[in-house]
Amino acid sequence: MNHKNININEIHFLGSLGRTDNKPERFGLKKLNGTEFFIDNDGNTWQNEILWDTGWGNINGFIKLPEPNFEQLWTLLTESQIEVNLLGSAELLTQYPIEVKQKIEEIFKHNKKIDQDLTKRLSRLDVLNHVMNHSEMKGKKPKEVDADYQEWKKLKDDFDKLKTVANNGYNSLWQKAKSMFKL
């Protein structure tokens, strides 16, 4: 696998979408003797990894090796149609907060609105769901830490302004009712 390219149509993560058994055998993986790795029927090597949060806590799953780098994870998040690739890449992107921030800022700078598909994909990123300082804080003065926090807060606020929410008809009905009854 070339580190610049990644096949968005292949599965790069294995894990359940709910709270179920994530033993290697469930995914057709066999332990490579004398190692901590697993192999599938196609000869791909997999590593055990803590993956996405199912609402019951993060699940143990598997990631195909070599582990995708930042650009590959970003590609999986923004282009793959495979649910486990979206979940896995969003989870591992937490290891690259500054790079993620730069990518998102670039998107925001060039778009007045983010389409529904990209909104859904970016919504999986922790940095856009929780306002907190994802920057390094060690050795910084409180003023610098606060400035970093404000940048992360602005990123979340900008996302909330630019994202496109699915219109299920409720909002337009509510607007109509409000105008009819002067609510």
Side-chain angles (χ1 to χ4, degrees), residues 82-126:
I82 301 171
E83 184 69 15
V84 291
N85 285 346
L86 301 177
L87 292 167
S89 60
E91 184 62 36
L92 288 185
L93 281 167
T94 60
Q95 299 172 12
Y96 303 95
I98 302 308
E99 294 89 340
V100 168
K101 181 179 173 209
Q102 291 167 343
K103 283 276 193 189
I104 293 170
E105 286 173 335
E106 192 64 26
I107 290 170
F108 292 177
K109 187 167 82 173
H110 296 292
N111 292 284
K112 292 182 192 265
K113 204 74 172 152
I114 300 171
D115 70 42
Q116 199 169 350
D117 180 59
L118 188 56
T119 294
K120 185 176 176 185
R121 291 168 182 277
L122 294 179
S123 292
R124 297 173 187 274
L125 293 170
D126 189 55

Side-chain angles (χ1 to χ4, degrees), residues 23-77:
K23 290 190 165 70
E25 302 81 37
R26 178 173 179 247
F27 302 105
L29 300 178
K30 294 178 184 146
K31 184 93 167 150
L32 275 172
N33 289 336
T35 73
E36 59 188 41
F37 303 109
F38 301 86
I39 193 162
D40 65 20
N41 292 335
D42 295 327
N44 296 306
T45 305
W46 297 79
Q47 176 179 304
N48 190 273
E49 183 79 40
I50 295 175
L51 297 175
W52 50 84
D53 189 344
T54 61
W56 298 91
N58 287 49
I59 63 154
N60 285 316
F62 302 89
I63 181 171
K64 189 189 305 185
L65 298 177
E67 185 173 317
N69 63 26
F70 171 76
E71 288 297 331
Q72 292 168 327
L73 291 169
W74 186 262
T75 298
L76 289 174
L77 178 72

